[in-house]
Amino acid sequence: STGSSLTRLDGLAWEDDGYAAGQRVQVSGETGTRVVVGFTDADGALAPADAFGTWGTGSALLLSGAPITAGSSELTVTVLV
C-alpha cells in the first residue's frame, strides 16, 4: 500500500469482488473508517514474472483520508453496511 491506496498483489480487480466507489470500509490495523473514492491500475513493477494478461487492471483501491500507516504488508478491507 502507498498513500491512501491499497494494491492487490494477486492482480485481480477490487470491483470484481463487489467493492464500489462510495462504500465505507474498515482497513485492518486502523480505528477509523474510510470511503472508497475509486480504482486504478496497479504499478506494473509489482507484477510477478508469470502474471496473466490483465494482471493489475483495477487492482489498486483508492481511499479517502491520510496515508495508510497500518504496519503490515497484508491488510484486510471490510465493507461496512
Side-chain angles (χ1 to χ4, degrees):
S1 71
T2 58
S4 292
S5 69
L6 294 174
T7 300
R8 292 179 63 148
L9 296 181
D10 62 6
L12 300 175
W14 288 94
E15 287 180 289
D16 290 349
D17 279 341
Y19 291 86
Q23 286 178 322
R24 294 197 70 76
V25 296
Q26 175 75 52
V27 177
S28 62
E30 294 190 333
T31 57
T33 61
R34 295 175 180 264
V35 175
V36 175
V37 296
F39 307 90
T40 192
D41 297 341
D43 180 345
L46 299 173
D50 61 348
F52 51 92
T54 58
W55 185 97
T57 302
S59 63
L61 179 67
L62 305 176
L63 300 169
S64 65
I68 294 169
T69 58
S72 173
S73 60
E74 291 186 26
L75 299 171
T76 303
V77 179
T78 304
V79 175
L80 305 174
V81 289

